[in-house]
Amino acid sequence: MKMYKSDPVLAALDIEKLVEFYENKLGFKRSWCDAGYGIVNRDDIGIHFWRCDNKIFPENTSCYVYVQDVDSLYTEYQRAGVIHPNGPLEDKPWGVREFSILDLYGNLIRFGELLSDRQ
């Protein structure tokens, strides 16, 4: 047996608005959206959303997405104005080059590239 993919499930106060944010600001494509559940995809990454009524859930949730060419993605998201003020692109001592964003409801998404994979 081998585990090979994981799709995070993040909290959303309004599924439609959050799906639109991921489409318009982060370059994801909608694959499902109704009042209670949403799914967006970009390349091999899927992110799911569940409807909640308490902002404490998204404001205390995060996920990590490994990418290739993190510098280009950082530039794209800088233009979209979504970089977290405390999450600029930098090399971390744990071996990744990463940055962070906050989505519309406060879910923290960290994007990183293994330093060992950079050429």
Side-chain angles (χ1 to χ4, degrees):
M1 181 188 76
K2 176 183 175 182
M3 292 185 198
Y4 65 92
K5 186 172 179 355
S6 177
D7 291 343
V9 183
L10 305 177
L13 302 177
D14 182 308
I15 299 290
E16 179 67 33
K17 286 182 182 176
L18 193 54
V19 165
E20 288 176 1
F21 174 87
Y22 276 76
E23 288 177 311
N24 297 331
K25 296 286 189 175
L26 304 181
F28 282 75
K29 302 289 184 215
R30 167 190 316 237
S31 63
W32 177 259
C33 185
D34 66 20
Y37 205 81
I39 304 170
V40 295
N41 295 284
R42 180 168 175 173
D43 301 321
D44 294 329
I45 300 299
I47 300 178
H48 297 222
F49 308 109
W50 62 280
R51 172 83 171 85
C52 72
D53 294 322
N54 190 333
K55 69 179 186 167
I56 196 167
F57 294 111
E59 290 177 352
N60 288 282
T61 304
S62 68
C63 73
Y64 202 99
V65 177
Y66 287 94
V67 302
Q68 293 176 336
D69 195 7
V70 70
D71 294 84
S72 293
L73 187 64
Y74 183 75
T75 299
E76 176 184 334
Y77 287 173
Q78 271 186 313
R79 286 192 297 260
V82 296
I83 303 299
H84 187 289
N86 297 323
L89 183 65
E90 59 187 11
D91 293 349
K92 299 293 188 178
W94 48 88
V96 295
R97 183 165 174 77
E98 72 176 38
F99 69 93
S100 302
I101 68 147
L102 286 178
D103 74 15
L104 185 61
Y105 296 119
N107 291 295
L108 177 70
I109 315 294
R110 293 168 48 193
F111 296 92
E113 181 177 9
L114 295 171
L115 292 172
S116 61
D117 290 346
R118 294 176 58 87
Q119 298 181 347

